[in-house]
Amino acid sequence: MASSIIYQPCRRSFLLGLASAASSLASTATPPAPYGVLPSLPQLHWSELGFYNFLHFTVNTFNDKEWGDGDENPAIFNPTAFDPAAICSVLKDAGSRGIILTCKHHDGFCLWPTKTTEHSIRFSPYKNGKGDIVRELSDAAARAGLKFGVYLSPWDRNNAAYGTPAYLDIYRSQLRELLTDYGPIFEIWHDGANGGSGYYGGAKETRTIDKLHYYDWPTTWALTHKLQPDGVIFSDVGPDIRWVGNEHGIAGETCWATYSPVAEDGGPAVPGNVRAEASTVGTRNGKLWLPAECDVSIRPGWFWHPAENDKVKSPQQLFDLYCESTGRGASFLLNVPPDRRGLIYETDAESLRGFGRMMNATFARNLAFGARVKASNTRHGYQPIHLLDENRHTYWTTDDNVTQTEIVFDLPRPIRFDLVRVRETIALGQRIGGFSVEYWKDSAWEVFGKGTSVGACRILRSTQPVSANRVRLKITESAACPVLSEFALFLKAV
Ligand code: FUL
Ligand code: CA
């Protein structure tokens, strides 16, 4: 089955001429016009990842802190059995698609032999100062088929120049090192925590910065896009991926990929100053394509602490988080902090493997396969069967101006299900604003669930499985004719 996507050379937008191609009618089919702001190609690729991991690892791992002051002796960084291949293998088993490493956290300690500071791994006993955690992990990730991303804290509590223009050059040099020496970087993570007390080269004081102007973010983002044109930049305000507004890993039940961010006071939003509650929901018909990422730790803290070894989230909790993040059109960024050996602690590894097994068993097969599908309206050449072909690039759509419609799935025999997954073809914009799923029970339609935003992936769940041989998807609101690439039914594995 062929599909064709025609992209404009411009990074920010592209034109999609997507063929439903299965039918010989495809050549005469006219795709619907895109609606509203659209994802860039890197954003589109990112939206297909769904689940990937954060690795919080630095001096804090060894001195039991969450935020290092920046006065650490580099000698404390000394993992005894760092094994990046073993870390990647556990994450692969969990179904992860990539890892983002804290190359530098707020303490300023760099996990690679940077030329910019002595607060780095070069002055640690690890491999006699010849080690490079960024290199070892990025190589292992590539071998394991995982994408690699970097977290580089803008706030640096060690650097004497923090707060002055000189620090900005240092920060950008660090970024340049990471973005040129370690292969393809799929995501660049800029934390919103900025400024406060610190060591600052011995000054030991509190330094506040002007969040709006100090970092001159547009220049840094342009540099990043130039060095890694396929990567996406994350911050409270993007420019490619937005923070979801909380650190619980949960997107709003309504979560638009489009967003018009503003600062707390209604002024221009910047990293460290955005209305967090608004970020959880996004903006219907917002100015920017800025989908949400849900970051959360598998433990209470971001770094490994022995006292939290019995507070690791269970496979079921991770599954719930997946449904409440990726399943709401956002993505699931789960932090898994390596321990002092440089390994994923056994309890965490067990939970991750359990989560992976649950995911595989649950989503192994779309139970709607084999259904006869009938839509109340179908655009010429874009048949509803494309909802069941496991191909995100083929879709069903309707004639222009149809904004309410329904599709009935008739199954050869009754099936039990408690999860419904719907995917919008987001390359053509976020169009749908309301939908419901119903099943046929005792000669009448019963509501299974309802939602608003769909986006790249929307999962509806019920507490008890239902059994039916007819299921109906109703689109109750759409800003332009709805474009859907998937409809799927699943039964959660225990
Ligand atoms: C926050 C940081 O302050 C935490 O330490 C952690 O890195 C988290 C992901 O982001 O803003
Ligand atoms: Ca499809």
Side-chain angles (χ1 to χ4, degrees):
M1 181 172 303
S3 63
S4 62
I5 303 177
I6 307 156
Y7 295 104
Q8 286 178 336
C10 160
R11 181 194 151 82
R12 294 304 312 175
S13 70
F14 58 89
L15 212 159
L16 185 118
L18 219 190
S20 79
S23 90
S24 57
L25 296 173
S27 56
T28 58
T30 313
Y35 173 78
V37 286
L38 301 178
S40 66
L41 192 52
Q43 287 174 318
L44 202 56
H45 290 155
W46 170 90
S47 73
E48 295 184 6
L49 299 178
F51 168 58
Y52 44 94
N53 295 97
F54 238 157
L55 294 179
H56 272 65
F57 189 42
T58 191
V59 281
N60 295 344
T61 311
F62 299 86
N63 63 7
D64 227 358
K65 285 195 175 171
E66 276 290 301
W67 279 11
D69 298 327
D71 62 351
E72 304 75 19
N73 182 342
I76 63 172
F77 185 84
N78 194 17
T80 50
F82 178 57
D83 186 344
I87 292 175
C88 289
S89 157
V90 172
L91 298 177
K92 278 291 270 193
D93 287 350
S96 178
R97 301 293 306 281
I99 52 181
I100 301 177
L101 172 69
T102 51
C103 300
K104 180 185 89 168
H105 203 252
H106 308 327
D107 47 74
F109 184 81
C110 295
L111 293 184
W112 78 103
T114 176
K115 296 194 180 72
T116 61
T117 175
E118 299 195 343
H119 200 46
S120 90
I121 194 161
R122 263 194 305 140
F123 298 89
S124 80
Y126 178 65
K127 295 197 171 170
N128 294 318
K130 301 270 179 293
D132 182 344
I133 299 287
V134 181
R135 170 88 52 227
E136 291 186 55
L137 253 173
S138 56
D139 285 352
R143 276 194 292 272
L146 289 169
K147 294 181 181 296
F148 184 72
V150 297
Y151 167 115
L152 185 70
S153 171
W155 185 19
D156 190 320
R157 305 177 84 192
N158 169 265
N159 207 289
Y162 184 76
T164 72
Y167 171 72
L168 213 53
D169 290 339
I170 295 170
Y171 185 67
R172 290 192 182 133
S173 298
Q174 294 176 342
L175 197 57
R176 206 173 283 112
E177 289 175 356
L178 292 173
L179 300 185
T180 47
D181 295 346
Y182 297 94
I185 304 294
F186 86 103
E187 183 167 326
I188 300 90
W189 222 90
H190 298 293
D191 208 302
N194 276 315
S197 66
Y199 175 68
Y200 304 127
K204 294 192 190 157
E205 60 191 11
T206 296
R207 294 185 183 174
T208 49
I209 48 115
D210 168 2
K211 288 181 184 169
L212 187 55
H213 301 107
Y214 176 57
Y215 287 106
D216 177 19
W217 283 113
T219 304
T220 301
W221 292 337
L223 171 73
T224 301
H225 280 156
K226 193 169 131 238
L227 296 175
Q228 293 284 338
D230 298 331
V232 288
I233 301 174
F234 166 98
S235 83
D236 290 351
V237 295
D240 299 315
I241 308 298
R242 76 174 194 261
W243 182 48
V244 75
N246 65 69
E247 289 182 339
H248 312 302
I250 299 179
E253 280 226 40
T254 294
C255 184
W256 308 107
T258 52
Y259 191 30
S260 308
V262 289
E264 294 288 359
D265 64 359
V270 282
N273 189 2
V274 68
R275 286 188 182 157
E277 304 78 45
S279 301
T280 309
V281 180
T283 314
R284 177 65 164 148
N285 298 317
K287 277 202 295 244
L288 307 169
W289 187 271
L290 210 51
E293 177 182 84
C294 302
D295 59 323
V296 61
S297 185
I298 195 166
R299 294 158 164 252
W302 292 99
F303 288 91
W304 184 81
H305 306 289
E308 295 181 353
N309 284 346
D310 58 354
K311 296 189 175 67
V312 176
K313 292 186 175 66
S314 68
Q316 179 61 51
Q317 284 174 301
L318 299 181
F319 187 88
D320 289 342
L321 286 172
Y322 175 83
C323 292
E324 289 162 350
S325 54
T326 309
R328 292 179 176 174
S331 73
F332 183 24
L333 172 57
L334 177 68
N335 178 59
V336 182
D339 62 18
R340 289 177 192 160
R341 297 168 302 173
L343 293 171
I344 294 179
Y345 190 75
E346 283 70 10
T347 316
D348 308 46
E350 199 38 54
S351 183
L352 286 161
R353 290 201 183 95
F355 169 63
R357 282 193 295 271
M358 200 178 266
M359 292 283 289
N360 287 340
T362 301
F363 295 113
R365 185 173 171 274
N366 180 357
L367 301 173
F369 279 154
R372 262 192 306 120
V373 196
K374 231 178 132 197
S376 58
N377 181 287
T378 292
R379 190 185 197 90
H380 177 64
Y382 296 89
Q383 304 305 321
I385 200 66
H386 294 312
L387 294 166
L388 302 181
D389 64 4
E390 286 212 305
N391 181 344
R392 283 177 187 249
H393 300 288
T394 58
Y395 59 83
W396 159 83
T397 185
T398 66
D399 293 327
D400 287 340
N401 304 322
V402 174
T403 53
Q404 292 187 336
T405 180
E406 64 176 53
I407 311 168
V408 177
F409 298 82
D410 262 304
L411 287 143
R413 64 195 70 82
I415 54 152
R416 286 177 80 229
F417 65 96
D418 53 10
L419 291 160
V420 177
R421 187 173 72 199
V422 189
R423 294 188 194 279
E424 211 170 347
T425 310
I426 55 168
L428 290 169
Q430 184 144 36
R431 308 161 81 96
I432 297 170
F435 70 103
S436 67
V437 176
E438 300 171 351
Y439 60 102
W440 190 250
K441 188 179 175 222
D442 306 330
S443 333
W445 289 111
E446 189 91 8
V447 176
F448 173 88
K450 288 182 183 195
T452 46
S453 50
V454 176
C457 172
R458 182 65 204 262
I459 295 174
L460 290 181
R461 298 197 281 172
S462 69
T463 42
Q464 290 298 321
V466 301
S467 186
N469 62 357
R470 292 189 93 191
V471 182
R472 155 163 102 169
L473 170 67
K474 283 172 97 174
I475 305 300
T476 50
E477 202 251 283
S478 194
C481 62
V483 184
L484 286 173
S485 55
E486 186 192 67
F487 178 83
L489 305 173
F490 303 102
L491 182 64
K492 185 177 161 289
V494 274

